[in-house]
Amino acid sequence: MSSYKVPDLEQRQSDASAAKKAMLEKFRAASEDPAVEKRHATRVAVNEARLARIAEREAAKQVRNAELAEQAAHAAELVSQAQHAAKEVEVLIAAEKAEREAALEAQQEATRDARYAARKAAGKERRRG
């Protein structure tokens, strides 16, 4: 028995070459088709519009971040002012408290001196008889 092949080697090679040529011709025809060029132009336009929107969003994000940074700086300044005012109030309160304590101490001392003078006068009165 012989190994007989229906399509011989040359036939298969010529069929493969013809298929390659047909595919290449189909690709060339598709690349020259105006519909393909139109789709490509549409894709390019969509991509450019997408890039423009991304750039706009980035610009808006930077503006928003700058505004937030400005607001944070303003808030920090307000906090600093509030802390300064609170310290001033604390100093005033401490001064008033010290003044009240000094006045209270002077009053207590005057009361004590008056009691002492009264006791002394009463003692002299008792001795005189």
Side-chain angles (χ1 to χ4, degrees), residues 90-110:
E90 286 177 11
V91 167
L92 289 175
I93 289 173
E96 287 178 5
K97 184 177 179 183
E99 188 178 316
R100 278 194 311 261
E101 287 177 359
L104 179 63
E105 188 176 310
Q107 182 184 7
Q108 288 174 347
E109 188 176 327

Side-chain angles (χ1 to χ4, degrees), residues 44-105:
V44 168
V46 166
N47 191 29
E48 288 175 357
R50 182 181 303 122
L51 292 176
R53 288 192 308 269
I54 290 171
E56 287 175 7
R57 282 196 300 266
E58 285 296 321
K61 187 177 183 180
Q62 289 177 352
V63 167
R64 192 170 51 250
N65 286 343
E67 288 175 355
L68 288 175
E70 184 179 327
Q71 288 176 358
H74 183 66
E77 183 180 336
L78 289 177
V79 166
S80 174
Q81 289 176 355
Q83 288 176 346
H84 184 68
K87 286 180 184 177
E88 288 179 359
V89 167
E90 286 177 11
V91 167
L92 289 175
I93 289 173
E96 287 178 5
K97 184 177 179 183
E99 188 178 316
R100 278 194 311 261
E101 287 177 359
L104 179 63
E105 188 176 310

Side-chain angles (χ1 to χ4, degrees), residues 30-31 33-48:
S31 67
D33 189 16
V36 171
E37 289 180 17
K38 185 177 179 181
R39 280 197 314 259
H40 179 69
T42 304
R43 287 181 187 155
V44 168
V46 166
N47 191 29
E48 288 175 357

Side-chain angles (χ1 to χ4, degrees), residues 12-32:
R12 289 190 312 237
Q13 286 178 339
S14 67
D15 288 345
S17 175
K20 285 181 185 178
K21 285 182 184 177
M23 287 175 55
L24 183 61
E25 187 61 33
K26 182 179 176 184
F27 178 75
R28 285 186 182 153
S31 67
E32 295 174 359

